[in-house]
């Protein structure tokens, strides 16, 4: 081969290697670096508009207040913190992590559902053309971080390029908490009508899954055809945490459309299964309305069902007594079945055989919120004990990142699943406990988490999970989880922000950390 031809082949080969995954014509993005103005935006404060009432529908998004704070972290760190005021050094660190994560997705996978930073590839749910799961899940975090240009860009893309009229089978639960919840929250924060239009269209498609004899929704629905079915991997049975973590989002759909069908349909599922909740905890699986498979606790299969008992009650202005009673009963059972070993407390440990899932770490935040709203001091004690245990799970490993599942005994933790996949539950609990107690340790522990993530999980094009938290360097898993942007970074952002960043009397978070506005009578 001649030298010229050889050079051409080499050039072509390396050009193909560098080809970004998000370079299709439908995407407005190129792989050019983010506009420098945007890079400056990352220094902005959380906008004041967040806690104000939503703008009238149809008006453009309010201009965000962007402060001019550009101090270097080292200077900011020397400034004393007012109680409840912001911790600028760590806020800056979290914003940089958000910026770095968003830059990877935005540059290489804009509009796609999930981004894999190591291989620089993307995955779309149901192998469709993409419904922008990552960008929708991230949207309210971008808003809270003051990244207004990115917010505008995402809203425009959702308006002009995303269609749910796709022949794809999606999880009703995941699509509701991440996509519908993300659209609704961003709509309530920005007032952008395109988000409402898309939320209502998606909600109508998801609603088809409830069209069953019992009213308990199937796990999967085809967004185009409305065909719905159970999960074959679960014998076709419905799962408590899935069927019971849709009601907040459907309630907000009712609030913004004035159509009661969303709320009544979603509530019917709870009414159908509540007979299985004799002890306070409910059955894990359902065939129709019949419970099976033992009871579900605060880990997988149960977690967000219990979360929604308290939070739906808050969302509707404390008017639904069924939800409050079910929460009181579940909380009391969990309190009485929690067990300690080796100085660590496992909520509901008597029934879980002292297995602690990272997923269950969210319950510290839930009990802290319950303490604030019910005044039950035992709930605050339980919340703090759970936070101590989850912090110890991080502190026990060589990366200072927690394993996904541990067994707790007098001799400490032994990991039965040693991965950490950028999960939010522990920092969620630190956020609530910081707001409630103002104990500095919760911010310190949150700082340890972002430091460990920066040290071990930051890669060239984003952040990825670790397959083994006890190996240094940890083997990576090539997935920028959408909940890293939606939840983990949002709770960290709020942990280090001033309390006024988001008022917990005005908003309640869905299980994917999307703040939904509390309804006032
Ligand atoms: C999130 O998608 C939600 O918080 C869900 O309720 C369960 N956990 C994942 C992240 O760990």
């Amino acid at each position: 081969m001649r030298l010229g031809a050889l050079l051409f082949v080499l050039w072509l080969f390396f050009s193909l290697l560098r080809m970004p995954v998000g370079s299709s014509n439908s995407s407005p993005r190129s792989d050019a670096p983010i506009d420098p103005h945007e890079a400056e935006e990352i220094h902005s404060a959380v906008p004041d508009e967040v806690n104000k009432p939503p703008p009238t529908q149809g008006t453009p998004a309010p201009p965000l207040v962007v402060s001019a704070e550009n101090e270097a972290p080292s200077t900011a760190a020397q400034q004393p913190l007012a109680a409840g005021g912001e911790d600028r050094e760590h806020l800056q660190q979290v914003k940089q992590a958000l910026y770095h994560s968003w830059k990877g997705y935005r540059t290489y996978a804009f509009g796609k559902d999930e981004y894999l930073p190591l291989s620089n590839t993307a995955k779309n749910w149901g192998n469709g053309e993409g419904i922008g799961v990552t960008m929708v899940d991230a949207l309210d975090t971008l808003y809270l971080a003051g990244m207004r240009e990115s917010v505008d860009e995402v809203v425009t893309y959702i308006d002009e390029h995303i269609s749910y009229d796709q022949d794809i089978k999606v999880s009703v639960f995941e699509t509701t908490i991440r996509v519908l919840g993300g659209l609704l929250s961003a709509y309530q924060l920005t007032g952008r009508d395109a988000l409402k239009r898309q939320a209502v269209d998606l909600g109508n498609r998801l609603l088809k899954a409830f069209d069953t004899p019992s009213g308990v929704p199937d796990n999967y629905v085809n967004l185009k055809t409305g065909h719905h079915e159970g999960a074959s991997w679960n014998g076709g049975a419905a799962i408590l945490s899935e069927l019971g973590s849709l009601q907040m989002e459907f309630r907000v759909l009712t609030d913004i459309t004035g159509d009661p069908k969303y709320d009544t349909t979603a509530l019917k599922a709870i009414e159908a299964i509540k007979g299985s909740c004799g002890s306070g905890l409910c059955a894990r699986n359902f065939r129709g309305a019949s419970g099976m498979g033992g009871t579900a606790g605060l880990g997988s299969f149960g977690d967000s069902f219990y979360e929604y008992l308290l939070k739906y009650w808050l969302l509707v202005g404390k008017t639904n007594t069924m939800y409050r009673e079910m929460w009181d009963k579940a909380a009391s059972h969990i309190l009485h079945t929690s067990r300690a070993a080796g100085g660590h407390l496992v909520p509901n440990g008597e029934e879980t055989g002292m297995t602690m899932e990272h997923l269950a770490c969210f319950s510290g935040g839930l009990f802290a919120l319950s303490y604030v709203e019910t005044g039950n001091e035992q709930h605050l004690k339980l919340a703090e004990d759970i936070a101590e245990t989850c912090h110890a799970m991080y502190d026990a490993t060589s990366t200072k990142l927690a394993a996904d599942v541990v067994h707790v005994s007098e001799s400490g933790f032994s990991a039965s699943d040693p991965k950490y996949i950028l999960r939010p539950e522990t920092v969620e609990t630190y956020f609530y406990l910081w707001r409630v107690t103002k104990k500095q340790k919760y911010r310190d522990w949150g700082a340890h988490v972002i430091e460990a993530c920066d040290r071990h999980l930051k890669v060239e094009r984003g952040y990825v999970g670790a397959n083994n938290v006890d190996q240094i360097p940890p083997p990576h898993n090539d997935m920028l989880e959408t909940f890293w942007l939606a939840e983990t970074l949002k709770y960290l952002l709020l942990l280090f922000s001033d309390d006024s960043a988001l008022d917990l009397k005005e908003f309640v978070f869905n299980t994917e950390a999307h703040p939904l506005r509390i309804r006032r009578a």
Side-chain angles (χ1 to χ4, degrees):
M1 195 185 292
R2 284 163 182 259
L3 184 62
L6 179 67
L7 287 174
F8 176 75
V9 169
L10 281 174
W11 172 82
L12 192 66
F13 175 71
F14 285 111
S15 302
L16 284 173
L17 268 187
R18 286 166 47 222
M19 186 174 282
V21 289
S23 62
S24 77
N25 288 340
S26 65
S27 165
R29 295 266 37 86
S30 72
D31 61 344
I34 292 181
D35 167 332
H37 293 108
E38 185 102 29
E40 279 167 25
E41 271 187 71
I42 204 78
H43 299 285
S44 69
V46 173
D48 286 346
E49 277 75 6
V50 170
N51 292 313
K52 292 185 181 155
T56 319
Q57 289 170 26
T59 55
L64 304 183
V65 175
V66 179
S67 83
E69 62 181 61
N70 278 317
E71 294 110 310
S74 55
T75 319
Q78 290 154 13
Q79 297 180 356
L81 296 173
E86 70 179 27
D87 171 345
R88 290 185 188 177
E89 177 192 1
H90 293 108
L91 188 54
Q92 195 79 338
Q93 189 175 0
V94 176
K95 286 183 173 184
Q96 291 300 342
L98 172 62
Y99 174 66
H100 182 69
S101 307
W102 180 247
K103 184 177 170 187
Y105 171 77
R106 179 180 184 265
T107 306
Y108 300 109
F110 197 78
K112 305 281 191 271
D113 291 340
E114 293 176 312
Y115 179 49
L116 291 70
L118 299 181
S119 56
N120 198 21
T121 55
K123 274 188 195 162
N124 286 331
W125 286 8
N127 289 323
E129 65 193 36
I131 54 172
V133 178
T134 297
M135 63 163 62
V136 176
D137 223 7
L139 184 53
D140 53 14
T141 307
L142 301 176
Y143 182 87
L144 291 168
M147 294 171 66
R148 66 168 188 261
E149 288 172 23
S150 294
V151 170
D152 281 346
E153 186 174 53
V154 172
V155 174
T156 302
Y157 187 87
I158 292 170
D159 186 19
E160 295 176 0
H161 295 275
I162 289 184
S163 163
Y164 301 116
D165 194 31
Q166 292 187 44
D167 192 3
I168 54 173
K169 182 175 108 174
V170 297
S171 156
V172 175
F173 165 72
E174 298 292 359
T175 310
T176 299
I177 66 166
R178 301 189 198 205
V179 187
L180 182 57
L183 290 169
L184 291 169
S185 166
Y187 169 64
Q188 291 188 322
L189 291 171
T190 67
R192 300 283 286 263
D193 273 341
L195 301 173
K196 174 182 171 182
R197 176 178 56 75
Q198 290 285 42
V200 174
D201 179 44
L202 181 61
N204 288 336
R205 294 169 192 276
L206 293 168
L207 205 60
K208 305 254 170 66
F210 290 84
D211 190 13
T212 63
S214 63
V216 173
D218 274 330
N219 312 58
Y220 295 102
V221 69
N222 182 304
L223 290 182
K224 191 182 190 71
T225 65
H227 172 79
H228 48 91
E229 62 192 46
S232 51
W233 57 268
N234 199 39
I239 296 163
L240 181 69
S241 59
E242 300 202 352
L243 70 91
S245 312
L246 313 167
Q247 288 66 26
M248 292 175 68
E249 295 81 357
F250 280 83
R251 172 61 194 223
V252 175
L253 272 180
T254 281
D255 289 343
I256 65 172
T257 60
D259 187 336
K261 74 178 175 203
Y262 304 102
D263 187 42
T264 50
T265 306
L267 281 185
K268 247 180 81 183
I270 304 303
E271 275 147 18
I273 63 95
K274 75 171 190 241
S276 82
C277 312
S279 69
L281 300 189
C282 311
R284 179 186 167 103
N285 292 319
F286 293 87
R287 200 167 295 288
S290 310
M292 8 178 255
T295 55
L298 293 169
S300 49
F301 284 79
D303 49 7
S304 45
F305 166 78
Y306 301 106
E307 180 181 359
Y308 276 32
L309 292 182
L310 179 70
K311 289 183 171 180
Y312 180 91
W313 176 69
L314 293 175
L315 181 73
V316 298
K318 305 184 182 176
T319 54
N320 185 303
T321 50
M322 176 184 85
Y323 261 84
R324 173 65 201 267
E325 282 164 18
M326 286 177 77
W327 166 248
D328 285 344
K329 212 167 155 194
S332 160
H333 185 86
I334 292 162
L335 267 172
H336 292 111
T337 53
S338 293
R339 290 287 173 273
H344 309 303
L345 185 113
V346 179
N348 190 221
E350 184 177 299
E351 293 185 9
T352 63
M354 299 306 277
T355 293
M356 184 70 184
E357 294 177 53
H358 190 283
L359 284 174
C361 287
F362 87 97
S363 61
L366 184 65
F367 277 98
L369 184 63
S370 182
Y371 160 71
V372 170
E373 299 295 345
T374 69
N376 187 331
E377 300 215 344
Q378 286 180 304
H379 289 193
L380 181 59
K381 168 88 176 77
L382 180 63
E384 295 217 74
D385 287 347
I386 293 167
E388 288 278 353
T389 300
C390 293
H391 166 249
M393 283 164 62
Y394 279 69
D395 207 38
T397 72
S398 44
T399 56
K400 303 296 172 199
L401 294 165
D404 211 40
V405 187
V406 295
H407 182 259
V408 183
S409 68
E410 288 304 331
S411 52
F413 302 114
S414 67
S416 37
D417 185 346
K419 67 175 185 287
Y420 172 72
I421 56 166
L422 303 170
R423 284 200 196 277
E425 292 79 14
T426 298
V427 293
E428 176 178 351
T429 282
Y430 296 163
F431 158 68
Y432 281 102
L433 281 168
W434 162 254
R435 281 285 180 99
V436 174
T437 68
K438 288 294 172 307
K439 289 181 183 167
Q440 180 60 31
K441 68 180 178 185
Y442 295 118
R443 275 188 163 173
D444 293 345
W445 293 350
H448 298 166
V449 175
I450 189 65
E451 274 151 24
C453 290
D454 275 348
R455 187 168 311 123
H456 299 295
L457 305 179
K458 184 175 181 182
V459 295
E460 189 189 342
R461 291 182 286 261
Y463 287 74
V464 293
N467 290 323
N468 187 339
V469 292
D470 257 321
Q471 231 175 287
I472 292 188
H476 286 156
N477 78 354
D478 198 14
M479 180 56 83
L480 179 80
E481 296 286 354
T482 78
F483 47 72
W484 166 252
L485 290 155
E487 300 192 71
T488 313
L489 290 177
K490 185 186 288 130
Y491 284 125
L492 284 166
L493 194 74
L494 293 172
L495 172 66
F496 298 122
S497 293
D498 185 85
D499 285 8
S500 61
L502 201 87
D503 185 344
L504 293 180
K505 292 287 174 202
E506 296 294 327
F507 289 94
V508 58
F509 290 94
N510 86 340
T511 191
E512 188 75 4
H514 296 304
L516 300 172
R517 202 172 280 279
I518 290 172
R519 190 179 162 78
R520 301 272 166 238

